[in-house]
Amino acid sequence: MSTVALSPPLRLVEATQAERAPVNKWLVTLSVSFGTLMGAIDASIVNVALTHIRGSVGATLEEITWISTGFVVATVLVMPLTAFLGRLVGQKRLYMISLVVFLAGSALCGMAWSLWSLVFFRVIQGFGAGALQPTEQAILRQTFPPKEQGMAMALFAMAVMLGPAFGPTLGGILVDNASWPWIFYINIPVGLLGLVMVWRFVHEPEDIRSANALAAAEQKKNIDWQGIALLSVGLAALQYFLEEGDKNSWFDSRLITFCLILAGLALAAFVMRELSAKVPAVNLKLFKDPVFASGTLIGSVMFAMLMANLFLLPVFMQELLGFDATQSGVSLMPRTLVMMAVVPIVGRLYNIVSPRILVGIGVVAFSVGAYQMSHFTLDTGTAQIVASLVWQGVGFGMIFVPLTTVALSNIERAKLTDATGLNSLFRQVGGSIGLAIFATLLGRSATQARASIGAHLSVTNPDALMRLQQVEQGLIGRGLDAASAHLAAPAALAGQVAQQAMVLSFEKMFLLAGVCFMAILPLLLFLKVDRSAESGGSQKSDVHLEM
């Protein structure tokens, strides 16, 4: 490379960097991981406490779901605007402000006196959590050198993926041994430690600071209020549609139908606005890069399957196998532990093995686990559950690290926060879509299976009559008199049919998750990265920004 005379601004940047002590990347990682981990945990920790909260605030089963819906909607609204806000106040300052808002919301949630006060405080908590994940991802990418980007994303994966896995277990322990407000209060000491560490150890790179200052000056002159409004309306309507659709029978509800139409119109108008705005609030042009587009899409499908499994398996264990909340949470730990072991290894392999190979192996491993789950029965034991979870833990660990790393490989340093905001948004929306689809299909599949089994339970079927007599004898053996047992036997048999129908439905959903995951393999063709260009591109970007 030829020697180039340094301009005064570049010399000033180098002088400033020379005066500052070298950044300890591990302390930076630890500092910014606290907030992301808490935000990820709080997205799922509330689910195990809903029954206790409902009794405390006097809410109906339909009303209590707003506690989760409000948090998710608020989080989704902030994610794509992370770069916009970061340019206005600074990347490090945005992270700290977001963490303070999150902690304030957590404290207020624990002190809530009614359902709607709790929902309002959860929205505040969600606004704070929204920017934490994309900002951490950008900070880690900017802190670690190009050759260690895989390890940086491995550490990010630990926070993002372990949060939903640990959330239900931690929530069950706190609710069983303390009270539900502690699922919020526990955030405060951890968050304050993270806040102090970010203030002390995280320093915004000078090239990023300079680039953001220039972009902020232009952004303040042309604030894209129209784009922000359209995005907010579109995402809020879409998230409400996904969160509440199944509870309201989808298109049988006029409100749900209206939300889908509103989301479609608002988001379509938002895309047109952002592509024509002088200074768009969200940089959609990043999707012109096929690597970023395909990596983001695969990531959204991965989170759809992850959230679907996090929903399906605990319900199966609790409703059909008789596990309590703590037992089901502990039974899920092998997947978490395997991911913890696999993720750092994959982070080191990233520079040696093609990311397409790593992701492909991960997809196959997840599908193997899903296939094993599709053979679960009422006699399934812990050993069979653990075996399938090990496969899925390996799969998720091998997918997430190369996927998040390669998706951002062609993005300039100054635009990393734009890209991570969109990446996080698609993961979140993908997870919501996965939950909505699988929750709906689970119920419908169970209804179909129950009807199919019931068609064989006619009075002319000798096997059905024999089964009914066995049930009747079983009830007599439990102490019922002959007349009462004869009357109760049909209802007991109907209960067994419903139970078997649910087993068949769960088996179908587990298999469907594996098939859907295998369908993303063709997208791996777009995950083609020139590692030398990736490294050189980063260096080139740095010089360009500083000059």
Side-chain angles (χ1 to χ4, degrees):
M1 182 179 294
S2 58
T3 305
V4 180
L6 299 179
S7 62
L10 182 56
R11 285 196 296 270
L12 179 60
V13 168
E14 289 193 339
T16 306
Q17 290 175 334
E19 293 172 3
R20 176 172 290 165
V23 173
N24 187 314
K25 58 190 177 185
W26 304 113
L27 283 175
V28 171
T29 301
L30 182 62
S31 301
V32 296
S33 293
F34 282 114
T36 301
L37 183 60
M38 287 189 300
I41 287 176
D42 270 56
S44 60
I45 194 173
V46 172
N47 295 339
V48 297
L50 289 180
T51 302
H52 297 78
I53 297 174
R54 189 160 69 93
S56 179
V57 300
T60 65
L61 194 60
E62 290 76 19
E63 291 173 336
I64 202 66
T65 58
W66 274 100
I67 295 174
S68 298
T69 302
F71 178 85
V72 174
V73 170
T75 302
V76 164
L77 290 179
V78 174
M79 280 180 171
L81 296 174
T82 301
F84 172 84
L85 298 171
R87 284 190 284 268
L88 291 178
V89 302
Q91 191 168 272
K92 174 182 175 179
R93 193 173 296 143
L94 173 64
Y95 187 92
M96 295 182 69
I97 292 172
S98 299
L99 189 51
V100 169
V101 172
F102 176 81
L103 294 177
S106 298
L108 291 170
C109 284
M111 297 183 286
W113 56 88
S114 67
L115 170 68
W116 298 113
S117 67
L118 179 56
V119 171
F120 178 72
F121 296 145
R122 280 284 280 175
V123 170
I124 294 176
Q125 193 186 36
F127 281 138
L132 294 176
Q133 192 178 118
T135 308
E136 181 197 353
Q137 193 175 3
I139 288 174
L140 292 180
R141 291 295 296 237
Q142 294 158 0
T143 301
F144 280 70
K147 291 183 178 180
E148 297 181 10
Q149 294 296 302
M151 183 55 66
M153 292 301 95
L155 297 168
F156 173 70
M158 300 284 279
V160 174
M161 298 183 70
L162 299 186
F166 276 120
T169 305
L170 178 61
I173 294 172
L174 290 173
V175 170
D176 290 342
N177 296 281
S179 58
W180 68 262
W182 280 99
I183 65 177
F184 300 112
Y185 290 148
I186 196 173
N187 291 330
I188 297 174
V190 179
L192 289 176
L193 175 61
L195 192 65
V196 172
M197 291 186 69
V198 170
W199 171 75
R200 175 65 180 83
F201 300 114
V202 177
H203 303 292
E204 196 166 1
E206 292 300 331
D207 61 314
I208 302 300
R209 190 196 300 270
S210 302
N212 282 343
L214 292 173
E218 189 69 18
Q219 185 173 274
K220 290 175 183 177
K221 297 176 185 177
N222 304 277
I223 294 183
D224 185 18
W225 294 115
Q226 184 179 342
I228 294 172
L230 289 170
L231 176 68
S232 300
V233 171
L235 286 181
L238 175 62
Q239 201 63 40
Y240 181 83
F241 169 80
L242 294 173
E243 293 285 326
E244 301 294 322
D246 187 47
K247 305 181 187 73
N248 293 278
S249 301
W250 294 105
F251 298 109
D252 291 341
S253 167
R254 291 184 178 180
L255 177 59
I256 295 300
T257 304
F258 171 76
C259 284
L260 180 60
I261 295 173
L262 178 61
L265 293 175
L267 291 177
F270 165 73
V271 171
M272 291 188 289
R273 167 63 185 175
E274 296 309 280
L275 294 178
S276 60
K278 185 176 180 180
V279 183
V282 180
N283 188 1
L284 297 181
K285 293 181 180 179
L286 293 173
F287 285 107
K288 290 182 178 180
D289 176 15
V291 175
F292 175 73
S294 59
T296 300
L297 180 58
I298 296 173
S300 66
V301 174
M302 184 194 74
F303 256 71
M305 298 303 104
L306 173 63
M307 297 309 294
N309 270 264
L310 289 174
F311 159 72
L312 289 172
L313 193 53
V315 174
F316 177 84
M317 289 189 291
Q318 293 178 40
E319 296 291 331
L320 298 177
L321 300 184
F323 289 20
D324 59 31
T326 303
Q327 285 177 315
S328 62
V330 171
S331 297
L332 292 172
M333 291 302 290
R335 176 166 55 194
T336 304
L337 296 174
V338 170
M339 284 193 294
M340 291 178 65
V342 169
V343 161
I345 297 172
V346 176
R348 293 194 176 277
L349 287 176
Y350 177 78
N351 291 327
I352 304 171
V353 183
S354 168
R356 287 185 290 185
I357 294 176
L358 293 173
V359 174
I361 294 173
V363 169
V364 173
F366 172 86
S367 298
V368 170
Y371 177 77
Q372 291 180 342
M373 288 180 178
S374 70
H375 290 78
F376 283 177
T377 67
L378 294 175
D379 296 324
T380 294
T382 303
Q384 292 169 279
I385 295 174
V386 169
S388 61
L389 289 176
V390 167
W391 278 104
Q392 291 198 339
V394 172
F396 282 128
M398 296 196 71
I399 292 169
F400 192 87
V401 175
L403 199 59
T404 50
T405 307
V406 74
L408 304 176
S409 60
N410 295 337
I411 306 298
E412 296 179 22
R413 278 168 59 89
K415 296 180 180 178
L416 275 173
T417 312
D418 297 84
T420 56
L422 288 170
N423 202 266
S424 299
L425 171 67
F426 272 74
R427 281 200 304 269
Q428 183 68 49
V429 173
S432 297
I433 292 174
L435 276 175
I437 291 175
F438 279 86
T440 301
L441 292 179
L442 179 67
R444 294 183 178 180
S445 178
T447 301
Q448 293 173 355
R450 189 162 57 248
S452 298
I453 297 173
H456 298 282
L457 299 179
S458 64
V459 293
T460 60
N461 187 331
D463 292 332
L465 290 175
M466 183 181 298
R467 182 64 177 173
L468 187 62
Q469 291 173 359
Q470 291 174 348
V471 171
E472 188 174 334
Q473 291 299 318
L475 292 174
I476 293 174
R478 294 181 182 180
L480 287 181
D481 58 81
S484 299
H486 181 73
L487 293 174
L493 182 60
Q496 292 181 0
V497 169
Q499 189 179 50
Q500 288 297 331
M502 285 301 298
V503 171
L504 292 174
S505 181
F506 273 103
E507 289 179 346
K508 186 181 292 185
M509 293 304 103
F510 289 135
L511 183 60
L512 179 62
V515 172
C516 289
F517 223 53
M518 290 292 287
I520 68 176
L521 286 175
L523 291 175
L524 299 183
L525 295 174
F526 296 98
L527 293 180
K528 189 175 182 180
V529 180
D530 184 346
R531 297 188 189 277
S532 61
E534 179 183 358
S535 177
S538 300
Q539 295 170 358
K540 180 179 178 181
S541 175
D542 292 349
V543 175
H544 173 72
L545 290 169
E546 291 171 6
M547 293 177 68

